[in-house]
Amino acid sequence: MKFGIIKYSSSNTGNVKRLFRKVFKDEILEINNINDKSDILILPGVGNFEFVMNELIAKKFDKAFLYKNFKRIFGICLGMHLLQKCSSECESGFKEGFSFGKKEVIPISSNQDEKRVHTGWNYVKFINKKFFILDGYYFFSHSFGILWTGESDEIAYYEINNKKFVAVFKKDNFTGVQFHPELSGEKGRELISFLVKIK
């Protein structure tokens, strides 16, 4: 299995590369131009949605490029957001994402009394019994997320501010996780190994 990772200016590629290398014993290629290919592309977390989307499009890393050059895509935190329809993490309204999913990314808080930044361990609950082994605590660090609606591409959730948010998104060959498996210890390694092998 050949892994590739897109390195954008704000991403934590080092930790993510170490995680995948430890789990799968393979080198992780850096995707730097439109001719680079791999079996699985990793979109790492950390960064601002609008800034990173602009950076990727400037490199011609658009939706057509992703479809053509990669069989599967795995997004972490911001990486999961980039796979979606749009995000409000920008200066003017909503900015369009890659639209492999149809979700809107919004702030996790809706008023001043709620927690605005979600950093730390939280429990993730999977709703399909074939994934129950992955239930457990994972490490989060974010202020934007996707509200849980129970649609078929939402396979796990977590709760904050008394609301459910999507923890794991999976549609066709596109998978995203809101938390950081690279910071989640053994549980994160177990999850990566399981989700990457699931078709």
Side-chain angles (χ1 to χ4, degrees):
M1 199 179 310
K2 188 176 178 182
F3 291 91
I5 186 169
I6 290 181
K7 184 178 182 180
Y8 26 87
S9 56
S10 60
S11 62
N12 56 341
T13 52
N15 287 336
V16 175
K17 287 169 71 174
R18 281 190 288 274
L19 170 65
F20 277 81
R21 190 180 299 124
K22 185 169 186 176
V23 172
F24 297 102
K25 313 301 181 186
D26 291 320
E27 285 300 310
I28 312 299
L29 305 175
E30 283 196 6
I31 305 301
N32 295 310
N33 63 72
I34 59 174
N35 296 315
D36 291 337
K37 298 181 180 181
S38 66
D39 297 314
I40 295 179
L41 174 68
I42 306 162
L43 293 175
V46 183
N48 172 272
F49 184 97
E50 182 175 33
F51 181 87
V52 171
M53 276 300 302
N54 289 341
E55 186 177 351
L56 295 177
I57 296 304
K59 294 180 179 179
K60 301 189 186 304
F61 291 173
D62 56 13
K63 188 173 185 178
F65 161 74
L66 297 181
Y67 259 128
K68 178 182 176 182
N69 289 38
F70 309 100
K71 298 176 183 176
R72 298 174 65 191
I73 298 178
F74 193 98
I76 296 172
C77 195
L78 172 62
M80 180 177 82
H81 297 172
L82 296 172
L83 295 174
Q84 305 305 321
K85 176 183 176 182
C86 60
S87 173
S88 62
E89 190 181 11
C90 59
E91 292 184 358
S92 56
F94 281 85
K95 183 171 182 65
E96 185 177 354
F98 289 120
S99 295
F100 295 116
K102 301 303 179 185
K103 314 296 183 185
E104 293 185 353
V105 180
I106 61 172
I108 60 174
S109 63
S110 57
N111 62 63
Q112 292 184 345
D113 296 327
E114 294 180 339
K115 188 175 181 180
R116 292 178 176 273
V117 180
H118 180 210
T119 300
W121 298 86
N122 202 342
Y123 192 80
V124 171
K125 176 64 180 175
F126 285 79
I127 61 169
N128 187 309
K129 64 181 181 181
K130 74 178 179 180
F131 297 112
F132 283 176
I133 189 175
L134 301 177
D135 284 4
Y137 284 89
Y138 296 86
F139 190 85
F140 291 77
S141 182
H142 66 109
S143 55
F144 286 78
I146 301 168
L147 275 176
W148 175 267
T149 62
E151 295 177 359
S152 60
D153 54 8
E154 302 170 5
I155 67 172
Y157 67 85
Y158 65 100
E159 295 187 50
I160 188 168
N161 297 328
N162 297 313
K163 292 179 285 191
K164 290 182 179 178
F165 287 86
V166 177
V168 183
F169 159 88
K170 190 172 190 335
K171 182 178 181 181
D172 302 324
N173 296 326
F174 309 98
T175 303
V177 297
Q178 179 61 73
F179 47 85
H180 288 271
E182 75 277 13
L183 300 177
S184 299
E186 182 60 36
K187 200 66 181 174
R189 293 190 288 274
E190 177 187 21
L191 175 133
I192 289 295
S193 178
F194 192 92
L195 288 184
V196 166
K197 293 174 182 176
I198 289 289
K199 298 296 185 181

